[in-house]
């Protein structure tokens, strides 16, 4: 009696390809499809069980459904001159509709009931173009970041130095104006007090003349004082707006 042909459809059908570098776990997937109207039990075996982790490595596939098997290659020192001799085998068997114990199915199976497919393992390294592109992209990123940092950080010291110079000038001017305002305020206060004293004294033509002169001096002196106050307010407003 001839051996049964594999009922499952395997994707990929012949080769399991693993793409390096192999310094970390490399995973490839194997799709098993059951196109029949019967349940199929399967097992996945390998010639190098210590080098691979297979999940799931066995199970049952319902009619018309499929399952994805993940084959994980463990890290190792890859030698391009050494050809891979690792192989996988997918072994299957039909199961009865009401089966519950898969171990019993495999235990009671006859050799003529088993179906199997074999796959080779192929190791591939990234191409030279991929390596060059990765290196160029990794080099380009720091350069871009450096240019951004230079463009954003270099002008700041100059602008800050100009701001400090203008600030000092404005502060000195403000202090000077405040000092002038205080002096003029004291002078106005003295003139007002003198005017009040002269109003209380006996009036005469001479006193009226002197009082008129003093009042004129008071009004004439208060005008520049008012201008200085207005200037101080304007500079203070400008200084506050500049700081904010």
């Amino acid at each position: 009696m001839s051996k049964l042909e594999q009922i499952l459809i395997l994707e990929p059908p012949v080769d399991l390809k693993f793409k390096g570098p192999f310094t970390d776990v490399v995973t490839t997937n194997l799709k098993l499809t059951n196109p029949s109207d019967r349940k199929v039990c399967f097992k996945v075996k390998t010639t190098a069980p210590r080098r691979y982790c297979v999940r799931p490595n066995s199970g049952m596939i319902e009619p018309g459904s499929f399952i994805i098997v993940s084959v994980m290659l463990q890290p190792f020192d890859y030698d391009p001159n050494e050809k891979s001799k690792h192989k996988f085998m997918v072994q299957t068997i039909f199961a009865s509709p009401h089966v519950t114990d898969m171990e019993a199915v495999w235990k009671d199976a006859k050799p003529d009931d088993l179906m199997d497919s074999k796959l080779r393992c192929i190791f591939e390294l990234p191409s030279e173009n991929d390596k060059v592109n990765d290196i160029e992209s990794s080099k380009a990123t720091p350069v871009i970041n450096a240019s951004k940092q230079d463009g954003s950080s270099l002008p700041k010291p100059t602008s800050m130095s100009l701001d400090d110079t203008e600030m000092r000038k404005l502060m000195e001017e403000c202090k000077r104006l405040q000092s002038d305002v205080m002096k003029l305020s004291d002078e106005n206060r003295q003139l007002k007090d003198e005017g009040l004293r002269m109003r209380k004294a006996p009036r005469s033509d001479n006193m009226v003349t002197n009082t008129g002169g003093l009042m004129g001096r008071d009004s004439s002196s208060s005008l520049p004082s008012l201008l200085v106050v207005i200037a101080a307010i304007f500079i203070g407003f400008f200084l506050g707006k500049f700081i904010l």
Side-chain angles (χ1 to χ4, degrees):
M1 184 176 179
S2 62
K3 189 176 181 63
L4 293 177
E5 186 178 354
Q6 176 64 267
I7 188 63
L8 297 184
I9 300 174
L10 279 62
E11 299 177 33
V14 178
D15 299 329
L16 284 176
K17 295 182 179 181
F18 299 86
K19 188 172 183 179
F22 302 101
T23 55
D24 200 355
V25 176
V26 180
T27 302
T28 188
N29 292 326
L30 174 63
K31 182 178 179 181
L32 305 179
T33 303
N34 180 9
S36 70
D37 56 356
R38 299 174 61 183
K39 292 182 178 180
V40 176
C41 295
F42 74 92
K43 281 185 177 182
V44 180
K45 300 179 179 180
T46 179
T47 57
R50 295 184 179 181
R51 300 287 296 274
Y52 298 90
C53 181
V54 182
R55 292 292 183 274
N57 59 2
S58 64
M60 182 183 298
I61 306 175
E62 296 291 333
S65 62
F66 67 90
I67 191 170
I68 301 296
V69 177
S70 296
V71 182
M72 292 162 277
L73 173 63
Q74 303 305 305
F76 71 103
D77 294 330
Y78 176 69
D79 185 0
N81 297 322
E82 182 180 355
K83 294 183 179 180
S84 173
K85 298 180 181 180
H86 300 168
K87 294 180 181 181
F88 276 82
M89 181 175 69
V90 179
Q91 196 172 51
T92 59
I93 186 174
F94 285 113
S96 62
H98 305 291
V99 66
T100 57
D101 188 0
M102 288 190 297
E103 292 297 330
V105 172
W106 290 107
K107 185 177 181 180
D108 298 336
K110 298 178 181 180
D112 294 337
D113 296 334
L114 299 178
M115 301 167 282
D116 59 66
S117 299
K118 296 180 180 179
L119 300 96
R120 298 179 305 169
C121 294
I122 297 179
F123 301 151
E124 296 179 344
L125 285 176
S127 63
E128 294 298 328
N129 292 333
D130 294 338
K131 291 182 179 180
V132 172
N133 292 334
D134 292 340
I135 294 173
E136 290 180 352
S137 61
S138 62
K139 288 182 178 180
T141 301
V143 171
I144 294 173
N145 293 335
S147 63
K148 289 183 178 179
Q149 292 176 359
D150 295 341
S152 59
S153 60
L154 288 177
K156 288 183 178 179
T158 305
S159 60
M160 289 300 293
S161 62
L162 292 176
D163 293 343
D164 293 341
T165 302
E166 295 294 333
M167 182 72 69
R168 285 195 296 269
K169 290 182 180 179
L170 289 173
M171 292 297 292
E172 291 175 359
E173 185 68 19
C174 185
K175 289 180 180 179
R176 186 182 65 79
L177 290 173
Q178 289 178 352
S179 177
D180 293 341
V181 168
M182 292 178 65
K183 290 180 181 179
L184 291 173
S185 297
D186 293 339
E187 185 178 353
N188 287 336
R189 190 179 301 107
Q190 292 176 2
L191 290 174
K192 288 180 181 179
D193 293 341
E194 185 177 355
L196 291 174
R197 288 195 300 270
M198 293 184 68
R199 288 193 189 97
K200 293 178 180 180
R203 294 186 178 184
S204 63
D205 294 340
N206 188 23
M207 294 298 293
V208 171
T209 304
N210 292 335
T211 301
L214 289 172
M215 294 298 294
R217 181 182 176 185
D218 185 17
S219 62
S220 62
S221 299
S222 61
L223 181 60
S225 175
L226 181 61
L227 293 176
V228 172
V229 172
I230 293 173
I233 293 173
F234 177 77
I235 292 176
F237 174 77
F238 176 76
L239 179 61
K241 187 174 181 181
F242 179 79
I243 294 174
L244 293 175

